[in-house]
Amino acid sequence: MAKLYPLKFYPQFVEKIWGGRMMQKYLGKPLPENGSFGESWEISEVEGFISVVSNGELKNKTLSECIDIFKEELLGTVVVSKYHYKFPLLIKFLDAQKDLSIQVHPNDKLAVQKGLKNGKNEMWYILNARKNATLYKGFINDTDKQTFLESVEKTSITNLLKTVEVEKDDVLHVPAGIIHNIGKGILLAEIQQNSDATYRIYDFDRKGPDGEKRDLHIEDACEALTFRAVERTKKNIIKEINKEVILVESEHFKTSRFTIKGEQKFSYADKNSFKVLICIEGKGKIKGEFESVDVKIGDTFLIPASLENFVLETDSGVELLLSQIP
């Protein structure tokens, strides 16, 4: 049987009416020649979007097949105890050249009530943003269902929302239930629960590719929404060389940032969880008890839980996001 190593997957590019081609310019993604692409699904076990390995001995096997073969060795003991033999995260890059819809995601409890496997908590790491780029996150003040519905009816919902100006290296945690959107001119990495459940609230009256306005999900959104004001909207990261900087720590995932010069050793003897490594700047090599693997900006790797020790080496410097299940 093959031995595990850092797994890379073929990116799955998704055309969106709000997308563009910035993933090619800034991340080196090999986008198809024509089209506006809003998302690159990097690691996914969502039905219809199951990732396929692009490197090494397991090349062309699906993520699901790899899990069936290696089980805890790949996922980790804590992951299996929490999620059985399912990959619990969805890793994407997003390119918003136009405003995304104003929306909300359900929590786990509501999602199960509606026949879904789980809800959708997410975080964003801003990779690039044009000057004065903004997004919406949460209500300015505590509100209620009636006020919300009236604002939707009058298409004045944005008057209730907190505008957040963002720039490169900002981090935003967006728990389920928080109303939000991503504004135009923003490129980001998204780490989220393994769910594509989205309730669209307002879509700026635009039309989809079929010439019709896209569906809204107001009743579902009312069930999902947290009507309390949001206090903390974002945080900007202070880079520390060869040290872990924790960005988000929640019950669903923990994500840290590493700014590496020379080399950084990673040791995880507990084998509790896989790691997702996202390269957001620079290049280097992942080394361990396997053939060394090149890593560069825009690359995403799944580090199996059984790889207790590995090293990231770089001559020119590299910056990484590292996510795992707590």
Side-chain angles (χ1 to χ4, degrees):
M1 185 170 69
K3 289 186 177 181
L4 282 169
Y5 54 91
L7 301 175
K8 188 178 179 184
F9 299 87
Y10 295 106
Q12 300 178 79
F13 303 123
V14 183
E15 288 196 76
K16 295 287 185 179
I17 60 174
W18 42 262
R21 303 190 64 82
M22 291 298 100
M23 290 186 289
Q24 182 170 307
K25 179 178 180 180
Y26 289 103
L27 301 175
K29 292 296 178 184
L31 298 179
E33 186 174 346
N34 299 306
S36 296
F37 295 90
E39 298 180 348
S40 175
W41 289 37
E42 297 289 297
I43 307 181
S44 165
E45 207 184 8
V46 173
E47 187 174 348
F49 288 90
I50 297 176
S51 293
V52 176
V53 178
S54 66
N55 70 326
E57 194 173 348
L58 296 169
K59 184 175 180 177
N60 294 329
K61 287 195 177 295
T62 67
L63 174 57
S64 299
E65 288 173 329
C66 292
I67 292 171
D68 286 343
I69 295 168
F70 294 101
K71 299 181 171 59
E72 284 94 345
E73 285 185 71
L74 179 56
L75 293 178
T77 54
V78 166
V79 177
V80 170
S81 68
K82 285 185 175 182
Y83 302 104
H84 303 291
Y85 296 103
K86 294 294 181 183
F87 193 76
L89 298 181
L90 173 56
I91 311 298
K92 299 178 183 178
F93 293 116
L94 272 74
D95 172 17
Q97 291 306 299
K98 298 178 182 177
D99 293 326
L100 274 67
S101 64
I102 293 170
Q103 57 191 242
V104 69
H105 307 302
N107 61 23
D108 289 339
K109 182 178 179 181
L110 179 61
V112 171
Q113 289 174 2
K114 292 184 174 294
L116 305 172
K117 292 180 180 179
N118 54 262
K120 184 177 175 182
N121 290 266
E122 61 190 9
M123 66 159 285
W124 305 328
Y125 191 99
I126 308 299
L127 300 172
N128 193 277
R130 71 181 192 182
K131 188 177 180 180
N132 300 322
T134 61
L135 52 80
Y136 293 117
K137 180 186 171 185
F139 292 107
I140 299 171
N141 301 303
D142 290 353
T143 189
D144 55 50
K145 181 178 178 180
Q146 186 60 38
T147 303
F148 166 76
L149 289 173
E150 289 174 0
S151 72
V152 170
E153 180 68 25
K154 296 175 182 177
T155 65
S156 61
I157 181 64
T158 56
N159 294 338
L160 301 180
L161 305 183
K162 186 168 287 188
T163 301
V164 184
E165 190 168 311
V166 295
E167 59 186 6
K168 186 177 184 294
D169 296 323
D170 280 344
V171 176
L172 298 97
H173 183 207
V174 187
I178 300 298
I179 192 169
H180 64 274
N181 95 320
I182 299 170
K184 59 187 176 183
I186 297 173
L187 178 70
L188 59 81
E190 180 175 84
I191 293 124
Q192 59 167 88
Q193 285 180 272
N194 183 26
S195 169
D196 203 29
T198 296
Y199 301 143
R200 196 179 296 126
I201 294 167
Y202 179 55
D203 200 30
F204 304 96
D205 295 323
R206 62 186 161 195
K207 296 179 180 179
D210 60 359
E212 302 293 329
K213 290 184 179 180
R214 297 196 296 172
D215 290 339
L216 303 179
H217 316 102
I218 306 303
E219 289 185 14
D220 288 329
C222 284
E223 292 183 73
L225 276 168
T226 297
F227 288 105
R228 296 188 304 276
V230 168
E231 295 180 7
R232 188 173 187 181
T233 54
K234 69 171 187 176
K235 63 179 178 180
N236 190 262
I237 301 308
I238 299 174
K239 300 177 184 180
E240 296 189 49
I241 304 301
N242 290 18
K243 291 184 179 179
E244 179 181 22
V245 177
I246 297 174
L247 307 181
V248 172
E249 195 164 15
S250 71
E251 64 176 304
H252 298 100
F253 51 80
K254 172 188 173 183
T255 301
S256 301
R257 178 191 170 111
F258 291 87
T259 300
I260 300 171
K261 303 289 185 182
E263 70 172 36
Q264 173 80 40
K265 296 179 180 179
F266 297 86
S267 297
Y268 301 100
D270 53 31
K271 302 183 183 180
N272 285 341
S273 173
F274 62 83
K275 313 295 182 293
V276 172
L277 185 155
I278 306 170
C279 183
I280 57 173
E281 200 163 306
K283 62 182 180 179
K285 288 182 180 292
I286 309 172
K287 293 186 174 182
E289 294 182 1
F290 46 81
E291 186 175 344
S292 66
V293 179
D294 291 331
V295 57
K296 66 183 185 307
I297 185 172
D299 285 347
T300 302
F301 286 90
L302 175 56
I303 309 292
S306 61
L307 298 187
E308 298 180 38
N309 302 288
F310 62 94
V311 175
L312 202 299
E313 289 186 356
T314 174
D315 293 327
S316 56
V318 68
E319 299 187 4
L320 310 170
L321 303 181
L322 196 72
S323 291
Q324 60 188 298
I325 303 302

